[in-house]
Amino acid sequence: MIVTVVMGIFSLIMLFPFLLMLLTSLKTMKEVLAPRFILFPSELVWHNFAEAMTRGNWPRYFFNSVYVTAITVIVSLLFNSLAGYAFSRLRFRGRDMLFLITLIGLMIPPQVNMLPVFVILKNIPLAGGNNLLGRGGTGWLDSYMGLIAPYVAGSFGVFLFRQFYLNFPKALDDAALIDGLGKVRIFFRIYVPLSTPVIATLIALKTTHTWNEFTWPLIIINSDKMKTVQLALTAFKAETTVEWNLLMAATTLTILPLVITFLIAQRYFIQGIVTTGIKG
Amino acid sequence: MQRVFVLSFVFIILLVALSWGGGQKEAAIEVKTVTFWFPGGAGQEEYFNNVGKEFEVTTPNIKVAPTVLPPDSKDIDSKLNAAKLAGIFPDVFSAYLVFMGTRGALGDFEVLDPYIAQWPDKSDILQSALDLGRYKGETVGLGFFPAPKLVPYRKDFFREAGLDPAEPQKAPTSWEELADWGRKLTVRDASGNVTRAGLDIPSSTPATVFIEPWMRQNGSMVIDEINLKPSWTDPGAVEALQFVANLYNENVSIPHNLQQWMEHPFSKGNGAIGFLLASVLVNMYNNDPALKKEIGYIPVPERKKKVSFCGYRMFTIGADSGVKEESWEFIKFMMTDEQMWKRYQELKIAPVRKSLQERFIQDDPAFNESQIEYIQYGKGKAVTPWTTIANKYLSQAYEEALNRRKTARQALIDAEAGLLEELKKFEIQ
Amino acid sequence: MFVSRRRNRINYDPVGYLLITPFYLFFLAFIFVPIVINLLLSFTKFNLRTIDFIGLRNYANLFTDSFFLISLRNTAIYTSFTLIFTMLLSLLAAVFLNQKIFGKSFFRTCFFLPHVTSMVAVSMVWFWMYEPSHGVVNKALGLFGIQGKLWLYDVNWALPAIIIMSVWKYIGYYMVIYLAGLQSIPGYLYEAATVDGASAVQKFFSITVPMLRPVTFFLFVTGVINNFNVFEQVRILTDGGPMNSTTTVVHQIYIRAFTDFLMGYASSQAFLVLTIVAFLTLIFFKYGQRGVDTEVV
């Protein structure tokens, strides 16, 4: 009981800035800029939400974000689970060195990589009007692949899967080997079904991370129809002023898909107890 | 399970193959496309996006492809750098003044003098719009969007303090008078905290835009643009910084960051005298129309020189552009009377044509007259290749002086030495 | 662990190479090659137009760059405090929210929500909360009789202010991973301990904490990496001020690369950071991996 109360209080503290954000989205600009900070608006301006959505082609922006995020997450799950399994359970020459190299990918500040990646994307052969040598067109710039490919390359998922698979008891493997299963089969038959918590975790985190990316879409997207939701939020900022109420309203709307994803994913944290079938 | 994986793989490969194509090929030769990049946001986009279409109507063989940029200059720099690297630098770019130095020095912009020389309208353009976009004597930008920093004051606060909300003629013309008013207008609560600032003196970086006009008014060059050197240690600059630092320590302002324009005490109704860009005032009036009649404008203070701060946005043409003639046609279109007046009416951007000044004043006498004065005597950021680095050192000196870590003199000496050393270290000149 | 096995052993699985290939291809193209490019750039003076090879001069300049050195110190302080607080609090939260409490889903969502919100909107809300005269934080402190601080305008409190906000934002992320880790701890371990008469606290320290070691290790390594790369909050809340008390290494790199046009120098800074973080990670790897292959039975 005490735990519930304590958790309740902490949850409110965690929620508080978000509540402020929601309240701001219901104010008029005059209230936002009032001399003394006003907590509650005198009148709930729900119209702000509608107004915010008229600034640009929001259905398209949402679609772009959803598409890019969904593909990125699915592909990441595929690639990263395989690689994570290989790095944790299989033995091959140079395994650990190869793994450590992927960790370097996590360590580099992403800002310095952006320009080289940009140039690489522009010169992808046979893409966006390029010839075989990657010249002539615009490559993967201003396109979905340009957004997806660099995100898929991230090593975070591999690291996550590897650590979780390391935690699996070896007894599982041994039992399966005795039954005559090959290493790859073991992965599909045993590891994957038991990976639900990890998969749910990666979905929750990778979705958030990809959805909230700003700097990379900024650099690579030029046309309005390819904008993601984060880029579109800059429409409320001008050089000297920001329409905070509209910005917060739009931000609230952009958070909703993430919240829904998390609510669904977090139910699966409960499932997947590893040791079903192994006693004593 | 295995099947799920295999199927997903196939699905992915299909998707990749489908999206691999696409992208823009070179357009057909008959129609030329001018790419137009502009920092937008908060209402300006509609105008700038549409003006391209209006232009296309008059010139059927030129198309305009606009791209809105987020307004933060660092974001803009990132995007421009990527574009430069990939060879897709915009043909026409609405640039902040500071880019004239940082990017102009690196040859990003086409020299416009030949085009302007043949332009009949050039005599109608304000001198500052033509002059401020020069780097080493060559024009790389044509000003179209002046951004003067005015000194508005609250008439109602003056009345409350028992002072006469003087007309501009009786307004302070000297620093001492300005400081005096600042002191009298500050309101403090029981524990001594300032609840209403007398003067808005920013406390945080980057505050160079604030302190430079003070220094210039006191006779300093701030940056010697001919020899490309800083000039922070001349007596004018030192005295100016010391004056501001002393005033700051008399507790007449509320701490704030200059770049957060809407958070200035004056913007929020917590200050009596402010230092604000005209566009911020426009925004304040939009949010609260009743405010306008309570705001007056202090004329450019005169000390040794009559100088104010006025930034500019300029039209530039990319040096590597393949459609320079067409780009110039577009720029000329943007600079016509009709477009300029339209920009004023829709976005409240002050026109830079001499022939439009009368109409401009008549439309909104007090506010626009002040703008004209500040534009006329305005000087913006210096045009050098190392402006961003200089800002860093000057801001540091500013904070050190205000926080009494060093005297103004010492802070500026160290700043200038630091800047020169860094320029030498990185071989920038 | 870093020892390679002999080719002919029965548990040599060359199929491993196949499994890592899809990921590795993308990794090489979009991460590894750019890193190599950056390494090469760090030996040059490059402003996107002209490029000059200058050897180790960039690295030499690092040591006399007072702004960079300050940013190193700030980043180290920021990383240590943020990481410690975040990991402790999130572990506790995960443990509590793993039990059968009413409203568990709701609480978990509350904790994760900050992580999900974009930095721009959230930073501004915190900016208003930290406002010295009217902000919520000072008002709340006032209720307890504590004098308010200038927070983001105060040289000594700006960095702590950012740390607090970061902890708030990242707790959800760590908690989520801890939750997943807690799921894979076999339930019968706890049952056996209860039979032996262990208390909740004893169970926590002798079962939960050791079994979570791979997860903790993961969070620690990724935590150090992520916190070392902190950037967005700094840019929005303070832009490095007041008086450089909040500038971080990535903030410096960004300024150098994108506004000062010193790409080569920025790359050298990035590589120094990379070296430091890699070094720390290697240390963790050596000492944090002990006991990871533990058998359960």
Side-chain angles (χ1 to χ4, degrees), chain B residues 47 92 196 218 228 232 239 251 257 289 330-331 333 366 379:
Chain B
Y47 166 78
V92 175
R196 179 184 298 161
N218 212 26
L228 286 182
W232 295 334
E239 195 188 355
N251 227 2
N257 185 335
F330 181 55
I331 293 179
F333 177 76
K379 173 93 186 91

mmCIF file of all heavy atoms in Angstrom, chain B residues 47 92 196 218 228 232 239 251 257 289 330-331 333 366 379:
data_model
loop_
_atom_site.group_PDB
_atom_site.id
_atom_site.type_symbol
_atom_site.label_atom_id
_atom_site.label_comp_id
_atom_site.label_asym_id
_atom_site.label_seq_id
_atom_site.Cartn_x
_atom_site.Cartn_y
_atom_site.Cartn_z
ATOM 1 N N TYR B 47 3.558 33.468 -47.195
ATOM 2 C CA TYR B 47 3.937 34.487 -48.159
ATOM 3 C C TYR B 47 5.080 33.999 -49.043
ATOM 4 O O TYR B 47 5.018 34.038 -50.264
ATOM 5 C CB TYR B 47 4.345 35.778 -47.446
ATOM 6 C CG TYR B 47 5.055 36.726 -48.372
ATOM 7 C CD1 TYR B 47 4.348 37.496 -49.274
ATOM 8 C CD2 TYR B 47 6.445 36.801 -48.393
ATOM 9 C CE1 TYR B 47 4.993 38.338 -50.165
ATOM 10 C CE2 TYR B 47 7.096 37.636 -49.284
ATOM 11 C CZ TYR B 47 6.373 38.406 -50.160
ATOM 12 O OH TYR B 47 7.031 39.214 -51.055
ATOM 13 N N VAL B 92 18.916 30.881 -54.553
ATOM 14 C CA VAL B 92 18.618 32.124 -53.846
ATOM 15 C C VAL B 92 18.421 31.786 -52.371
ATOM 16 O O VAL B 92 17.707 30.850 -52.038
ATOM 17 C CB VAL B 92 17.330 32.790 -54.388
ATOM 18 C CG1 VAL B 92 16.985 34.012 -53.557
ATOM 19 C CG2 VAL B 92 17.518 33.166 -55.836
ATOM 20 N N ARG B 196 9.786 44.779 -11.223
ATOM 21 C CA ARG B 196 9.673 45.446 -12.509
ATOM 22 C C ARG B 196 11.033 46.058 -12.842
ATOM 23 O O ARG B 196 11.561 46.874 -12.085
ATOM 24 C CB ARG B 196 8.605 46.533 -12.501
ATOM 25 C CG ARG B 196 8.505 47.241 -13.862
ATOM 26 C CD ARG B 196 7.528 48.377 -13.842
ATOM 27 N NE ARG B 196 6.189 47.915 -13.548
ATOM 28 C CZ ARG B 196 5.225 48.707 -13.110
ATOM 29 N NH1 ARG B 196 5.459 49.990 -12.895
ATOM 30 N NH2 ARG B 196 4.032 48.223 -12.862
ATOM 31 N N ASN B 218 29.803 55.122 -28.265
ATOM 32 C CA ASN B 218 30.880 55.762 -27.538
ATOM 33 C C ASN B 218 32.141 55.918 -28.370
ATOM 34 O O ASN B 218 33.205 56.212 -27.847
ATOM 35 C CB ASN B 218 31.204 54.941 -26.273
ATOM 36 C CG ASN B 218 31.673 55.821 -25.135
ATOM 37 O OD1 ASN B 218 31.339 56.987 -25.072
ATOM 38 N ND2 ASN B 218 32.473 55.267 -24.254
ATOM 39 N N LEU B 228 40.381 44.017 -40.572
ATOM 40 C CA LEU B 228 39.892 42.762 -40.016
ATOM 41 C C LEU B 228 40.557 42.443 -38.683
ATOM 42 O O LEU B 228 41.264 41.445 -38.533
ATOM 43 C CB LEU B 228 40.112 41.618 -41.013
ATOM 44 C CG LEU B 228 39.129 41.655 -42.198
ATOM 45 C CD1 LEU B 228 39.363 40.475 -43.109
ATOM 46 C CD2 LEU B 228 37.704 41.646 -41.709
ATOM 47 N N TRP B 232 38.379 46.091 -29.319
ATOM 48 C CA TRP B 232 37.631 46.105 -28.073
ATOM 49 C C TRP B 232 38.317 46.859 -26.946
ATOM 50 O O TRP B 232 37.736 47.077 -25.903
ATOM 51 C CB TRP B 232 37.383 44.659 -27.602
ATOM 52 C CG TRP B 232 36.516 43.879 -28.520
ATOM 53 C CD1 TRP B 232 35.577 44.353 -29.375
ATOM 54 C CD2 TRP B 232 36.536 42.467 -28.677
ATOM 55 N NE1 TRP B 232 35.004 43.319 -30.061
ATOM 56 C CE2 TRP B 232 35.564 42.157 -29.652
ATOM 57 C CE3 TRP B 232 37.264 41.434 -28.087
ATOM 58 C CZ2 TRP B 232 35.316 40.842 -30.051
ATOM 59 C CZ3 TRP B 232 37.009 40.138 -28.484
ATOM 60 C CH2 TRP B 232 36.037 39.857 -29.463
ATOM 61 N N GLU B 239 34.837 52.011 -21.775
ATOM 62 C CA GLU B 239 33.943 52.841 -20.977
ATOM 63 C C GLU B 239 32.500 52.363 -21.108
ATOM 64 O O GLU B 239 31.753 52.317 -20.131
ATOM 65 C CB GLU B 239 34.059 54.294 -21.461
ATOM 66 C CG GLU B 239 33.460 55.280 -20.490
ATOM 67 C CD GLU B 239 33.419 56.691 -21.072
ATOM 68 O OE1 GLU B 239 33.935 56.884 -22.183
ATOM 69 O OE2 GLU B 239 32.859 57.568 -20.409
ATOM 70 N N ASN B 251 21.151 46.793 -9.878
ATOM 71 C CA ASN B 251 19.931 45.990 -9.772
ATOM 72 C C ASN B 251 18.723 46.655 -10.402
ATOM 73 O O ASN B 251 17.695 46.842 -9.749
ATOM 74 C CB ASN B 251 19.641 45.726 -8.283
ATOM 75 C CG ASN B 251 19.317 44.276 -8.061
ATOM 76 O OD1 ASN B 251 19.346 43.482 -8.984
ATOM 77 N ND2 ASN B 251 19.009 43.939 -6.843
ATOM 78 N N ASN B 257 17.955 36.109 -20.869
ATOM 79 C CA ASN B 257 18.834 35.770 -21.971
ATOM 80 C C ASN B 257 18.401 36.588 -23.177
ATOM 81 O O ASN B 257 17.233 36.551 -23.555
ATOM 82 C CB ASN B 257 18.670 34.267 -22.236
ATOM 83 C CG ASN B 257 19.621 33.766 -23.294
ATOM 84 O OD1 ASN B 257 20.073 34.513 -24.136
ATOM 85 N ND2 ASN B 257 19.912 32.483 -23.232
ATOM 86 N N PRO B 289 -3.399 43.783 -28.732
ATOM 87 C CA PRO B 289 -3.503 45.059 -29.463
ATOM 88 C C PRO B 289 -3.629 46.273 -28.554
ATOM 89 O O PRO B 289 -3.196 47.361 -28.917
ATOM 90 C CB PRO B 289 -4.769 44.871 -30.314
ATOM 91 C CG PRO B 289 -4.945 43.405 -30.428
ATOM 92 C CD PRO B 289 -4.421 42.813 -29.153
ATOM 93 N N PHE B 330 14.486 36.647 -60.145
ATOM 94 C CA PHE B 330 13.617 36.401 -58.998
ATOM 95 C C PHE B 330 13.840 37.447 -57.915
ATOM 96 O O PHE B 330 12.890 37.986 -57.339
ATOM 97 C CB PHE B 330 13.863 34.985 -58.460
ATOM 98 C CG PHE B 330 12.994 34.623 -57.296
ATOM 99 C CD1 PHE B 330 11.612 34.713 -57.377
ATOM 100 C CD2 PHE B 330 13.549 34.189 -56.099
ATOM 101 C CE1 PHE B 330 10.807 34.376 -56.303
ATOM 102 C CE2 PHE B 330 12.749 33.848 -55.021
ATOM 103 C CZ PHE B 330 11.378 33.944 -55.122
ATOM 104 N N ILE B 331 15.098 37.756 -57.666
ATOM 105 C CA ILE B 331 15.396 38.741 -56.632
ATOM 106 C C ILE B 331 14.830 40.099 -57.019
ATOM 107 O O ILE B 331 14.239 40.806 -56.196
ATOM 108 C CB ILE B 331 16.915 38.832 -56.384
ATOM 109 C CG1 ILE B 331 17.423 37.529 -55.774
ATOM 110 C CG2 ILE B 331 17.250 40.005 -55.487
ATOM 111 C CD1 ILE B 331 18.904 37.514 -55.519
ATOM 112 N N PHE B 333 12.302 40.676 -58.800
ATOM 113 C CA PHE B 333 10.854 40.593 -58.582
ATOM 114 C C PHE B 333 10.518 40.824 -57.118
ATOM 115 O O PHE B 333 9.581 41.544 -56.782
ATOM 116 C CB PHE B 333 10.352 39.218 -59.034
ATOM 117 C CG PHE B 333 8.899 38.994 -58.788
ATOM 118 C CD1 PHE B 333 7.950 39.592 -59.598
ATOM 119 C CD2 PHE B 333 8.461 38.190 -57.746
ATOM 120 C CE1 PHE B 333 6.598 39.390 -59.377
ATOM 121 C CE2 PHE B 333 7.115 37.975 -57.519
ATOM 122 C CZ PHE B 333 6.178 38.582 -58.334
ATOM 123 N N ALA B 366 4.239 56.610 -35.121
ATOM 124 C CA ALA B 366 5.245 56.545 -34.054
ATOM 125 C C ALA B 366 6.185 55.361 -34.242
ATOM 126 O O ALA B 366 7.407 55.505 -34.256
ATOM 127 C CB ALA B 366 4.549 56.452 -32.697
ATOM 128 N N LYS B 379 23.838 49.874 -37.578
ATOM 129 C CA LYS B 379 24.991 49.064 -37.984
ATOM 130 C C LYS B 379 24.765 47.702 -37.377
ATOM 131 O O LYS B 379 24.438 47.572 -36.200
ATOM 132 C CB LYS B 379 26.269 49.705 -37.438
ATOM 133 C CG LYS B 379 27.495 48.870 -37.663
ATOM 134 C CD LYS B 379 28.207 49.237 -38.957
ATOM 135 C CE LYS B 379 29.346 48.286 -39.228
ATOM 136 N NZ LYS B 379 28.988 47.123 -40.033
#
